[in-house]
Amino acid sequence: MSWLPTSKNIEENNPKIDSIILPRMSDIGNFEVKRALPSKQRQMVGPFIFWDQMGPGEFISGQGLDVRPHPHIGLSTITYLFKGTMDHKDSLGNDIRIKPGEINLMTAGNGIVHSERTGQDIRQSPSDLFGIQSWIAQPKKYEDSSPKFQNFSSKEIKIIDANDIQGKVLFGEIDGLQSSIKSEWDTLYLDLELSEGSKFELKPLYHDRALYIISGNISIMGEQCPNQTLIVLKPDEDVIIEANNTSRVLVLGGEPMDGPRYIYWNFVSSSKEKIEEAKNKWKNWEFPKIQDDNLEFIPLP
């Protein structure tokens, strides 16, 4: 596409940008997503090892998202919606509908099974879906921990309100604002809404940082950044984000993980052996099942 050469020039000429990642299209159950991580250029940004933009998209009446039961190990999924809803069910017995502005945090540990679907009542009318689902790798000392699930309402999330910048501190800390959500690893995740002409200084408080531009138009050192791409920033650099018009930008990152990670399908681990164990466990029906959603499943690729 035509922006690729321009993006390469931005990387080469801009001392603040390490790389620009163009998401690839993937399907997650009757719905296409834009997947930025993992990529050929970069496997992880801090603990983030998986990054999907879901939508914006629409379902006609009678249709919806159907991500059938599937397993995870060694990671936490973060689901954050802008529009629409999703019904989460898991093998711990949780049955939660996530709504815009909320966060679902599911920590897999040594193994969990879940499904994500559009509710039957929502399917009675046309519906929207727009949001981000990401995975963060668990530290080695927590990879064998028991799985858990948490839903955080929008009221529980720390608000940023400074001049022409509003937003939320989903994980981590920025300018003295500390997220109310605890993470197992040093993690940064911000949702910023910038007014036209406003500037936001992103200091190098975390080694790894990246920007994902949801909407609008931003520039760094006078150069425009491609929309709906992952802009990986160079470490140890103050970065000024300038909004050329009203823009929404997600900031993600954190400290580099405690060693490399292997990823196969829905499994993440510091050990190849644990990946193989999980594969065999799923093939042999040894993962726990989801109550009221156990008649179908996603087979091992």
Side-chain angles (χ1 to χ4, degrees), residues 80 99-103 151-159 168-170 179-181:
Y80 184 54
K99 302 173 184 177
E102 299 180 348
I103 285 180
N151 172 268
F152 298 92
S153 71
S154 57
K155 295 180 180 179
E156 297 177 82
I157 299 172
K158 191 73 70 175
I159 299 297
K168 298 177 181 179
V169 184
L170 308 181
S179 171
S180 57
I181 303 175

Side-chain angles (χ1 to χ4, degrees), residues 18-34:
D18 178 80
S19 57
I20 297 176
I21 298 172
L22 174 67
R24 65 190 187 279
M25 300 304 295
S26 186
D27 185 276
I28 61 167
N30 301 328
F31 198 71
E32 283 195 335
V33 300
K34 295 180 178 179

Side-chain angles (χ1 to χ4, degrees), residues 10-72:
I10 291 175
E11 294 172 40
E12 292 175 346
N13 299 329
N14 197 311
K16 307 293 185 179
I17 296 175
D18 178 80
S19 57
I20 297 176
I21 298 172
L22 174 67
R24 65 190 187 279
M25 300 304 295
S26 186
D27 185 276
I28 61 167
N30 301 328
F31 198 71
E32 283 195 335
V33 300
K34 295 180 178 179
R35 181 162 297 167
L37 290 176
S39 72
K40 291 181 179 180
Q41 299 104 307
R42 188 98 177 201
Q43 185 195 45
M44 304 178 72
V45 178
F48 286 88
I49 195 167
F50 185 94
W51 184 272
D52 268 2
Q53 176 185 323
M54 304 179 292
E58 297 180 352
F59 296 108
I60 63 173
S61 297
Q63 295 188 2
L65 182 72
D66 277 305
V67 181
R68 294 167 291 159
H70 58 282
H72 289 285

